[in-house]
Amino acid sequence: MGIHQKKVAFVEEKRMSGQQNISIVGMGYVGLCTAAGFASKGARIVATDKDQQKVDSINKCKAPFHEPQLEEALRKATKQSKIKGTVDLEKAILETDVTFVTVGTPSKPDGSSDLGQVQEAATEIGKALSKKEGYHLVVVKSTVLPGTTENLVKPILEKQSNKSCGSDFGLCMNPEFLREGSAIYDTLHPDRIIIGEWDEKSGDTLESLYALFYKQQKIPLIRTNLPTAELIKYANNAFLATKISYINTIANICEKIPETDVAKVAEGIGLDNRINPRFLRAGLGYGGSCFPKDLKALIALAKQQKIEATMLEAVQKVNTNQAKHAVELVKKEVGMLENKRIAILGLSFKPDTGDMREAKSIQIINMLLDEGADVSAYDPVAVPNAKAIFKKRISYATSALNCLKDADCAVIVTEWNEFKDLKPEDFIASMKQPIVVDGRKIYNPETFTKKLNYKAIGLG
Ligand code: UGA
């Protein structure tokens, strides 16, 4: 750090060391969990969203979606007056010093990101900044492709505010790495912080804020320019998706080699600390609102730049094929699926969330229905979301055992803890014929294969 930088950092830290007043725009997973996390670090948060219902729900400490520890964090923050929800974005900007943009960037049909919400947020923030005295920092946390913060957000902010980026207000891009299901933990314990900055003062201001939040934790922090920070997020998610498709390819090889088990292979290679054991759980592949969307956007970007994205396309293909493969395993054991009852355990894209965006359950259930199967499904949280997707085309059970009743085959789609507690006897007692296709490898193959017809992804 140069002398000038040290001085700016010192000034910013002094400024930040009072009450940190932060507004957050967009109360999806990232926005609300960041709001709750920052509030628990002592900041005063104004949480904004266009959806009045969502805002009302936040003010009543009711999370609009299932996320462990979130409601508790909201209750605590509300009690200490650390958080308030509002639809009034202008007031939120005027009352705060830093604004995080956490609106959605969904996929368009060609794979590229729809930046409508980012554009709208930037316009509203810019208008509010025109009425604001003093310095204000805008931080883009939404996942956006390289160039977006500089070439889209910055010009809109400058035009709407009639102010100059760098001197009148600051601009950073700060990608988010929290995972659904452990979002509060991840916000409180990030494994790194990436700050993309338009200018030094913007970066200093954000670094000072994080220094206050994570004082004791010695979190590695990287400062870079805006497009590099934007790309880090995509490269990160694409790499994790690659690890999953890689181990799923090994899983498919294992299935053809008697006595091999992909879980042992993953354990073995994971001990090489150049590889590490995380994200090597073979199974039905990845779903969710991030990996599929971010991979699509990265491929679209590569294509636009006339770069071959062969590897990323292969990652996608392996991922799509995993669900087909699971249905093939079912057919191999059950035969024709017409009028066969198939029990689906797990609907959400991963445990501890009710989120069904790009969930593997959707792909699998649709294939089973196309083959004429009669599907019954159970999930501890996601059933209301599933009802909106499948309506009356499937039946919904109120417990795992209930779901297994009279089934010809059970498919484990999501590795919820309560499914891990099921014993072979539970399947045998409830099902018409005890065939289990374990899409997430949650059972001990030795115990299960001894007692029932047990097939698992990656089990030779
Ligand atoms: C992912 C990233 O992990 C976060 O760092 C990132 O912030 C987030 O996307 C985002 O971009 O917002 P998330 O989608 O919540 O988080 O969930 P993950 O835990 O990453 O799981 C994604 C999918 O991969 C799930 O369907 C999961 O079942 C699957 N998965 C994960 C595997 O199949 N095998 C594994 O070993 C790990």
Side-chain angles (χ1 to χ4, degrees):
M1 221 192 244
I3 286 181
H4 167 71
Q5 212 175 343
K6 269 193 186 141
K7 201 173 144 206
V8 175
F10 177 73
V11 171
E12 281 313 323
E13 197 154 338
K14 276 210 83 85
R15 197 169 76 88
M16 283 293 172
S17 60
Q19 174 67 71
Q20 305 91 46
N21 293 308
I22 297 172
S23 42
I24 303 187
V25 185
M27 286 297 115
Y29 264 98
V30 172
L32 187 52
C33 295
T34 304
F38 285 179
S40 73
K41 291 279 182 192
R44 196 181 70 85
I45 307 294
V46 185
T48 78
D49 198 283
K50 287 192 307 188
D51 182 345
Q52 181 72 54
Q53 249 182 338
K54 218 182 235 184
V55 165
D56 291 345
S57 147
I58 293 166
N59 285 333
K60 284 182 199 142
C61 303
K62 283 259 161 273
F65 45 80
H66 177 88
E67 180 61 41
Q69 295 177 32
L70 176 58
E71 288 198 347
E72 200 189 320
L74 281 177
R75 269 195 299 274
K76 234 189 225 166
T78 308
K79 217 170 155 189
Q80 298 168 347
S81 307
K82 291 286 184 202
I83 196 164
K84 79 170 177 212
T86 177
V87 287
D88 191 342
L89 179 57
E90 182 183 294
K91 198 158 166 260
I93 305 289
L94 296 178
E95 281 179 7
T96 57
D97 306 313
V98 181
T99 300
F100 284 85
V101 178
T102 54
V103 295
T105 51
S107 291
K108 288 203 284 201
D110 67 352
S112 63
S113 312
D114 180 348
L115 294 171
Q117 294 179 51
V118 174
Q119 243 163 312
E120 198 182 326
T123 307
E124 295 306 312
I125 295 167
K127 282 183 188 158
L129 287 180
S130 72
K131 300 184 185 160
K132 184 151 191 213
E133 277 173 33
Y135 186 75
H136 193 98
L137 177 68
V138 179
V139 184
V140 176
K141 230 185 204 314
S142 303
T143 300
V144 290
L145 280 168
T148 309
T149 305
E150 189 167 335
N151 302 324
L152 181 83
V153 176
K154 180 178 159 283
I156 296 178
L157 290 174
E158 289 190 316
K159 183 172 168 220
Q160 298 296 334
S161 65
N162 212 8
K163 288 184 173 178
S164 200
C165 185
S167 46
D168 302 325
F169 67 88
L171 183 60
C172 284
M173 199 281 151
N174 173 222
E176 180 51 61
F177 301 103
L178 61 79
R179 296 160 297 171
E180 286 186 27
S182 47
I184 295 295
Y185 178 88
D186 289 349
T187 311
L188 300 180
H189 307 272
D191 52 11
R192 65 336 261 277
I193 293 167
I194 307 292
I195 296 179
E197 62 201 51
W198 166 250
D199 65 322
E200 202 175 7
K201 184 176 173 187
S202 303
D204 287 344
T205 309
L206 189 55
E207 183 173 351
S208 306
L209 181 67
Y210 282 140
L212 286 169
F213 286 172
Y214 303 109
K215 276 192 274 253
Q216 317 297 347
Q217 289 165 264
K218 297 199 169 58
I219 314 278
L221 181 143
I222 290 183
R223 283 177 62 169
T224 180
N225 56 29
L226 297 170
T228 306
E230 290 164 326
L231 188 55
I232 286 172
K233 168 72 188 203
Y234 284 93
N236 204 100
N237 274 0
F239 186 79
L240 293 173
T242 304
K243 277 188 99 171
I244 297 170
S245 282
Y246 170 78
I247 202 65
N248 282 337
T249 303
I250 301 296
N252 295 342
I253 294 172
C254 283
E255 282 175 36
K256 300 288 178 203
I257 306 175
E259 320 259 317
T260 59
D261 182 347
V262 70
K264 262 287 168 249
V265 178
E267 193 186 335
I269 64 173
L271 287 173
D272 182 331
N273 58 25
R274 292 169 300 178
I275 297 177
N276 101 38
R278 299 175 76 190
F279 275 74
L280 287 180
R281 271 182 291 112
L284 299 171
Y286 59 79
S289 65
C290 305
F291 289 175
K293 167 178 81 81
D294 293 351
L295 223 70
K296 265 190 223 159
L298 195 55
I299 292 170
L301 171 75
K303 286 204 167 134
Q304 201 186 45
Q305 300 298 328
K306 311 237 176 312
I307 292 165
E308 278 192 36
T310 321
M311 199 187 77
L312 300 177
E313 282 166 350
V315 168
Q316 270 186 332
K317 192 167 168 202
V318 171
N319 197 55
T320 311
N321 285 346
Q322 277 313 94
K324 291 185 197 155
H325 177 61
V327 173
E328 286 308 316
L329 284 179
V330 174
K331 278 162 72 179
K332 210 163 145 199
E333 300 310 312
V334 178
M336 298 275 283
L337 293 181
E338 184 98 44
N339 297 324
K340 295 279 169 52
R341 190 168 177 83
I342 312 294
I344 298 291
L345 294 185
L347 292 160
S348 57
F349 85 96
K350 64 186 266 190
D352 294 321
T353 177
D355 196 343
M356 282 189 64
R357 282 176 289 178
E358 303 271 348
K360 285 292 153 185
S361 61
I362 302 176
Q363 208 187 334
I364 290 172
I365 291 174
N366 279 333
M367 280 188 278
L368 294 171
L369 291 175
D370 285 349
E371 301 262 352
D374 165 21
V375 174
S376 95
Y378 169 69
D379 187 286
V381 176
V383 168
N385 287 337
K387 284 185 175 167
I389 299 168
F390 297 110
K391 312 226 159 50
K392 292 193 169 148
R393 292 193 295 139
I394 66 171
S395 57
Y396 305 92
T398 49
S399 71
L401 291 182
N402 200 261
C403 182
L404 295 174
K405 208 162 177 288
D406 296 329
D408 293 281
C409 178
V411 186
I412 312 297
V413 177
T414 318
E415 63 276 34
W416 284 93
N417 274 340
E418 66 174 86
F419 304 154
K420 292 181 185 166
D421 294 336
L422 293 173
K423 306 270 173 299
E425 291 71 22
D426 296 318
F427 291 92
I428 294 164
S430 301
M431 295 173 71
K432 196 192 277 173
Q433 46 178 356
I435 302 174
V436 175
V437 171
D438 185 351
R440 297 291 176 184
K441 292 205 89 263
I442 61 173
Y443 298 122
N444 181 325
E446 268 178 49
T447 324
F448 268 66
T449 36
K450 261 188 217 148
K451 300 199 170 159
L452 44 73
N453 184 352
Y454 176 75
K455 296 286 172 243
I457 301 260
L459 193 61

